[in-house]
Amino acid sequence: MKLVAVDLDGTLLNKEGHVPEENAWALKKFDQQGGTVALATGRSIQSAKEVFAQLNLSGYTLASNGAYVARIEQGEIKEVLKNYTIIPETVKTALSLAMKSGVTVVASRATQDDRISFAQDKNEVNSPYYAQFNLKESKAEDLWEQIDKEAISYFKLAFTDSDTSKLVKLRSQLEMKQINSSYSDKYWLEVMADGVNKGAALKFLTNYLSMELSEVIAFGDQENDLEMLEISGNSIAMENAAPAVKKVADKLTKSNQDSGVAFVLKEYLA
């Protein structure tokens, strides 16, 4: 295997949002042997940079579910290879539906994440995934004109609420407007630009690096990992993965709490 593409939350990271030592060791060893490390995550580019810095590794990131593809060196962006923003019409439609649904939206751009709360009681679930955002409290009416003028643009819209039935209903409404979405967690429903997902970003990256997808081993646990797992030469689902992920994966490994990434990656280390 020449490249390892690994999701963060629920996969590389434990439930506290940290990289277990065993996983960090395995990725460093893979890198030392000439392999390429790619962090494929729903998290923002800023958060992906921080994880690379913690690992003391250089590599690539497919951030915001593949909307932002970049080379990371010494914890900083060395080169942006590709980025995809959501068209204003889609952003406005999705925000309008979120307002009617009464959920919170976190809209991610390169430098910050705008949080727009339409929930009367701010019925949100705190988690390491939430903590990674660089949040700025915002109001939809303040952003509307800037979105219209394309003064701001977003890589990803993330919708959250502790009442998951609201997210299920919202997803149905988005589909009626021909807006695709995927779950990165049971409490997080996310929208990217049309055609953007981790699989498409991974295909772009392997082409850029003159690699074959058959030379990729990919790890994931949630719906937003499906496209990446489906096209990779070796696809690994975590023990804690969603049923749909386990169904498409070639192999099942231990949970993220038990360093499941390292458990499999060791097989490819000299």
Side-chain angles (χ1 to χ4, degrees), residues 59-78:
Y60 296 88
T61 183
L62 317 178
S64 293
N65 290 325
Y68 199 105
V69 183
R71 169 73 181 174
I72 307 296
E73 295 184 5
Q74 297 179 332
E76 297 296 332
I77 300 171
K78 177 70 174 179

Side-chain angles (χ1 to χ4, degrees), residues 60 69-71 79-82 201-211:
Y60 296 88
V69 183
R71 169 73 181 174
E79 183 181 7
V80 178
L81 306 180
K82 200 83 170 176
L202 179 60
K203 186 174 182 180
F204 167 82
L205 180 60
T206 53
N207 286 337
Y208 173 82
L209 296 173
S210 298
M211 290 183 187

Side-chain angles (χ1 to χ4, degrees), residues 55-206:
L55 290 168
N56 194 26
L57 282 178
S58 295
Y60 296 88
T61 183
L62 317 178
S64 293
N65 290 325
Y68 199 105
V69 183
R71 169 73 181 174
I72 307 296
E73 295 184 5
Q74 297 179 332
E76 297 296 332
I77 300 171
K78 177 70 174 179
E79 183 181 7
V80 178
L81 306 180
K82 200 83 170 176
N83 63 75
Y84 309 83
T85 55
I86 307 168
I87 62 172
E89 182 181 353
T90 298
V91 173
K92 292 193 295 180
T93 299
L95 289 181
S96 294
L97 292 174
M99 180 171 60
K100 292 176 182 177
S101 299
V103 302
T104 294
V105 184
V106 178
S108 296
R109 31 180 159 158
T111 56
Q112 72 181 45
D113 304 286
D114 297 323
R115 177 164 58 184
I116 310 139
S117 182
F118 296 120
Q120 293 182 352
D121 54 359
K122 291 196 174 182
N123 199 21
E124 304 160 8
V125 175
N126 288 323
S127 67
Y129 190 76
Y130 212 153
Q132 55 91 17
F133 288 113
N134 180 24
L135 293 173
K136 178 184 178 182
E137 297 296 335
S138 304
K139 294 182 179 180
E141 54 267 31
D142 295 335
L143 300 174
W144 217 259
E145 185 177 352
Q146 296 181 71
I147 294 169
D148 266 334
K149 292 180 178 179
E150 299 187 33
I152 57 175
S153 56
Y154 295 111
F155 299 115
K156 185 185 73 172
L157 303 176
F159 309 93
T160 188
D161 198 279
S162 63
D163 182 353
T164 56
S165 68
K166 287 185 180 181
L167 300 180
V168 172
K169 183 179 179 180
L170 175 60
R171 187 178 204 184
S172 177
Q173 293 171 336
L174 289 167
E175 287 177 354
M176 291 176 65
K177 297 292 185 179
Q178 297 184 317
I179 299 173
N180 292 323
S181 61
S182 64
Y183 282 98
S184 61
D185 178 270
K186 67 182 291 187
Y187 298 110
W188 289 95
L189 180 67
E190 301 180 334
V191 167
M192 286 72 62
D194 191 37
V196 171
N197 56 65
K198 293 183 184 182
L202 179 60
K203 186 174 182 180
F204 167 82
L205 180 60
T206 53

Side-chain angles (χ1 to χ4, degrees), residues 7-28:
D7 169 56
L8 293 182
D9 294 274
T11 302
L12 183 68
L13 308 182
N14 59 24
K15 65 181 180 182
E16 288 78 29
H18 303 138
V19 182
E21 289 185 13
E22 198 171 357
N23 281 348
W25 174 86
L27 287 180
K28 288 177 183 177

